[in-house]
Amino acid sequence: MAIVVLRRGKCGLSECITQYLVAMAAVDLLVVITGVILNRVIGIYFPVSTLSITPVCRLKTVLVYASRNCSVWLTVAFTFDRYVAICCQKLKGRFCTKRMAAAIVGTVFALSCLQNIPWYFVFEPVYFINNVPMYCGIKPNFYTLTPWIAFSWTNHILTPCLAIVLILLFNLLTVRHILASSRVRRALRGSGTAGNNIDSELENRKKSIILLFAISGSFIMLWATYTAHHLYYRITTTYVYTGYNDPVFILQESGHMLLLLSCCTNTCIYVVTQKKFREDLKRAVKFPLTLIVKLVK
């Protein structure tokens, strides 16, 4: 629904912003399809299927990691775009364009796919059924060989650690610029009129600060559990669980659940807070109902 409403271009957003938001909504949908439906739902309720064949299972894992990383780095790219738009007026005209946004989205998608290709070679068949390799089990040397250890650490440093640092950095710089501009604006307006009139520009800037902190806070909180589990099992070399009630297993699955959720929250935070988007969404929801009423009449 977000993709359809944004593509209509009636939300009062620039073409650059719309390009990013449509890409983020599309990738978030891809995360739901690959990470939740194909990997979790079908894996649990349909344990023996075509998706259980080892090569297909490997490809599915690559898609899960690629779509997830793409979602994270599109958030970073959009945060940087807003930083440039607000704080770097000289670069704004050249950088904050639809063409540049499309190029960045394409680059992020391509790099996310390339970065996660090695996951295809991490897994091996669990067993064979009529000589057909079934399911994906992590190779034991993934936890011991230096290249695989380096690959694992690099992935976690890039996503989410570096992403968190960059989002915080750009948001803090943006907030600092907004606060400095607000102080100058108050000084120009004068203390006599500032208390009597509501400055709509200052109100919009306050909303921007709240929005930026909401994005940073939700991203950090939802990825914290996943990061904590990675650090724990690498430091303590805890690679085997005693069962479903093992606290480390619960920590792992909770981390995966929260990070999948984080790939869906940013679209909601960015888009649902837009008044014109909400209005267009209401019209889109009412349209089929109105059409049914007309047909009945």
Side-chain angles (χ1 to χ4, degrees), residues 19-20 111 119 130 135 149 202 232 239 250 254 290 294:
Q19 190 82 9
Y20 278 112
L111 291 177
W119 284 110
N130 296 327
Y135 302 107
I149 295 174
L202 290 178
Y232 178 83
Y239 306 133
I250 295 172
S254 299
T290 306
K294 288 181 178 180

Side-chain angles (χ1 to χ4, degrees), residues 8-185:
R8 284 164 51 86
K10 296 182 179 181
C11 297
L13 302 171
S14 67
E15 291 184 340
C16 175
I17 294 176
T18 301
Q19 190 82 9
Y20 278 112
L21 292 178
V22 169
M24 290 167 63
V27 171
D28 289 346
L29 179 60
L30 186 60
V31 171
V32 173
I33 293 172
T34 58
V36 179
I37 298 175
L38 296 182
N39 192 43
R40 295 285 174 169
V41 175
I42 293 180
I44 292 172
Y45 294 100
F46 304 94
V48 181
S49 65
T50 305
L51 295 176
S52 304
I53 300 174
T54 301
V56 180
C57 177
R58 287 171 170 172
L59 179 60
K60 178 183 65 177
T61 303
V62 173
L63 292 175
V64 170
Y65 279 99
S67 59
R68 194 182 72 190
N69 287 12
C70 189
S71 175
V72 171
W73 285 99
L74 281 180
T75 303
V76 176
F78 183 57
T79 304
F80 179 70
D81 179 87
R82 293 301 83 206
Y83 160 74
V84 173
I86 295 172
C87 304
C88 308
Q89 294 301 314
K90 292 183 179 179
L91 287 176
K92 180 180 178 180
R94 290 180 295 170
F95 187 82
C96 301
T97 63
K98 181 180 179 180
R99 184 176 180 181
M100 179 62 73
I104 291 174
V105 168
T107 301
V108 169
F109 181 80
L111 291 177
S112 296
C113 292
L114 290 174
Q115 176 191 347
N116 291 284
I117 287 176
W119 284 110
Y120 187 88
F121 305 99
V122 170
F123 300 94
E124 62 183 4
V126 176
Y127 52 81
F128 291 81
I129 299 178
N130 296 327
N131 293 325
V132 177
M134 298 296 292
Y135 302 107
C136 288
I138 297 178
K139 296 177 180 177
N141 60 16
F142 176 75
Y143 300 107
T144 56
L145 287 182
T146 302
W148 283 126
I149 295 174
F151 169 73
S152 178
W153 276 107
T154 301
N155 267 275
H156 284 81
I157 290 172
L158 291 175
T159 309
C161 296
L162 180 60
I164 290 174
V165 171
L166 291 176
I167 289 174
L168 282 175
L169 175 63
F170 295 138
N171 283 346
L172 288 174
L173 291 174
T174 304
V175 169
R176 188 181 68 172
H177 179 83
I178 291 173
L179 292 176
S181 300
S182 298
R183 285 194 294 268
V184 173
R185 188 176 180 85

Side-chain angles (χ1 to χ4, degrees), residues 17 38 51 170 188 221 229 238 241 244 291:
I17 294 176
L38 296 182
L51 295 176
F170 295 138
L188 292 174
M221 287 189 295
H229 171 259
T238 306
Y241 311 118
Y244 295 131
L291 187 61

Side-chain angles (χ1 to χ4, degrees), residues 266-278:
N266 287 330
T267 301
C268 295
I269 293 173
Y270 278 124
V271 176
V272 177
T273 54
Q274 302 294 324
K275 183 179 179 181
K276 291 186 177 181
F277 175 85
R278 295 198 302 270

